């Protein structure tokens, strides 16, 4: 099959959540085929294909994502709610191999200390969120997904979550020629609670985490009308700190 959406989920609550997510996909993209990898027999009018899996840990996507039946795949976590047609995400695969969105976790201090490959990568190469990903089933991409799985298990005792291993696996894949696109934020809008979590656990992420590097705004909005009454860099910086858009 050419293109479609896959979910990988287990447990009663996540399967219920999956149904709502699949319904939202079909509401705006009625012709988009959907496959669900699940741990028990499952029926939904919004899911076209079911594959049974064994969930051995909290992130079974690691084990099954490369088994996608599609040439072009959109992977979605079960908590994704689609509210707009999303066909344009697949169109990116005419140019790129893989696409995802930045995560609010950029580079975590605790994993930098315990996973050498993770720590060696510059902060500017942020973690990408693995809940929304679109990719080709090319040899290069499937090789990357397989290496991600190997790296996940290599450091499972340190990090049983998927994004730390994903970050340095992706870095290496890009160095080896896999092309990557990063979606704008409207393709993966997170909750206010998720943003607040970054503040509560800032000690685990490190002092540089989400610290602004550059501001991009006029410190006097009248500059295009011929007026610029800013007296110092300190004044400009203070204006920026008071008026920036928080991500």
């Amino acid at each position: 099959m050419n293109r479609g959406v896959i979910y990988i989920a287990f447990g009663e609550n996540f399967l219920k959540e999956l149904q709502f997510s699949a319904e939202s996909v079909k509401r705006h993209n009625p012709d988009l085929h959907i496959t669900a990898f699940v741990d028990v027999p499952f029926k939904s009018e919004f899911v076209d294909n079911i594959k049974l899996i064994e969930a051995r840990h909290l992130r079974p996507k690691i084990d099954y994502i490369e088994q996608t039946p599609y040439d072009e795949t959109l992977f979605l976590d079960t908590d994704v709610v689609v509210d707009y047609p999303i066909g344009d995400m697949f169109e990116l695969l005419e140019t790129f191999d893989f696409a995802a969105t930045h995560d609010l976790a950029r580079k975590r201090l605790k994993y930098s200390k315990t996973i050498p490959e993770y720590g060696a990568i510059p902060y500017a190469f942020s973690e990408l969120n693995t809940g929304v990903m679109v990719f080709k089933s090319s040899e290069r991409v499937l090789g990357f997904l397989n290496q991600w799985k190997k790296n996940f298990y290599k450091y499972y005792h340190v990090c049983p979550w998927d994004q730390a291993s994903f970050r340095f696996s992706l870095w290496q894949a890009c160095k080896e020629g896999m092309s990557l696109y990063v979606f704008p934020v409207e393709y993966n809008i997170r909750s206010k609670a998720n943003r607040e979590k970054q503040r509560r656990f800032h000690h685990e992420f490190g002092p540089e985490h989400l610290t602004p590097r550059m501001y991009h705004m006029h410190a006097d909005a009248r500059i295009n009308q011929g007026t610029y009454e800013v007296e110092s860099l300190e004044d400009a910086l203070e204006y920026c700190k008071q008026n920036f858009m928080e991500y």
Side-chain angles (χ1 to χ4, degrees):
M1 285 177 276
N2 184 37
R3 62 175 52 164
V5 174
I6 67 170
Y7 296 91
I8 302 173
F10 68 99
E12 181 181 355
N13 289 333
F14 290 106
L15 296 187
K16 183 177 180 180
E17 187 175 55
L18 187 161
Q19 293 208 56
F20 295 137
S21 182
E23 181 181 0
S24 75
V25 171
K26 291 290 192 179
R27 177 175 294 179
H28 297 282
N29 311 268
D31 298 326
L32 197 53
H33 200 269
I34 296 178
T35 294
F37 293 77
V38 293
D39 64 328
V40 294
F42 173 79
K43 289 185 178 180
S44 170
E45 64 180 296
F46 307 109
V47 176
D48 303 293
N49 186 30
I50 300 293
K51 291 183 178 290
L52 291 177
I53 65 170
E54 179 185 357
R56 296 180 292 165
H57 49 75
L58 293 174
R59 290 293 185 266
K61 72 173 78 171
I62 293 285
D63 299 313
Y64 296 100
I65 190 169
E66 63 186 291
Q67 296 183 26
T68 173
Y70 308 114
D71 298 324
E72 298 178 349
T73 300
L74 172 60
F75 171 85
L76 297 179
D77 275 349
T78 61
D79 59 349
V80 172
V81 178
V82 175
D83 198 31
Y84 202 81
I86 52 177
D88 59 332
M89 299 175 78
F90 291 98
E91 293 175 18
L92 289 173
L93 298 179
E94 297 175 10
T95 302
F96 301 96
D97 296 315
F98 196 98
T101 308
H102 284 139
D103 194 80
L104 281 172
R106 310 298 201 207
K107 180 180 181 180
R108 310 183 208 208
L109 179 63
K110 64 176 181 178
Y111 296 142
S112 295
K113 292 179 177 179
T114 54
I115 303 175
E117 299 95 325
Y118 181 98
I121 301 171
Y123 173 92
F125 190 82
S126 171
E127 286 188 22
L128 297 187
N129 184 268
T130 62
V132 178
M133 303 180 286
V134 67
F135 57 91
K136 299 175 181 176
S137 288
S138 64
E139 182 178 351
R140 176 172 283 161
V141 173
L142 294 178
F144 153 65
L145 294 175
N146 184 259
Q147 188 61 49
W148 176 25
K149 179 166 59 177
K150 292 178 181 178
N151 290 335
F152 171 79
Y153 282 111
K154 178 181 179 180
Y155 289 106
Y156 183 77
H157 65 290
V158 173
C159 177
W161 314 107
D162 54 88
Q163 288 188 189
S165 56
F166 183 80
R167 178 174 179 259
F168 71 84
S169 301
L170 186 64
W171 173 262
Q172 186 61 41
C174 290
K175 289 178 69 175
E176 294 172 356
M178 190 179 81
S179 56
L180 171 68
Y181 179 77
V182 177
F183 289 118
V185 67
E186 55 265 36
Y187 288 86
N188 192 347
I189 299 173
R190 308 308 305 281
S191 68
K192 294 177 181 178
N194 186 270
R195 180 64 181 85
E196 182 58 32
K197 183 175 72 172
Q198 315 303 317
R199 295 189 181 91
R200 294 201 316 272
F201 292 95
H202 196 265
H203 60 285
E204 292 188 8
F205 289 89
E208 69 173 358
H209 187 255
L210 290 179
T211 298
R213 267 62 173 174
M214 305 180 195
Y215 299 100
H216 186 175
M217 69 190 81
H218 296 301
D220 190 330
R222 302 169 298 172
I223 191 170
N224 290 315
Q225 285 73 50
T227 300
Y228 188 74
E229 296 180 352
V230 178
E231 301 302 326
S232 67
L233 170 60
E234 286 68 29
D235 289 345
L237 186 58
E238 183 60 26
Y239 178 90
C240 291
K241 289 181 177 181
Q242 294 299 321
N243 291 278
F244 77 97
M245 180 181 69
E246 185 174 66
Y247 295 95

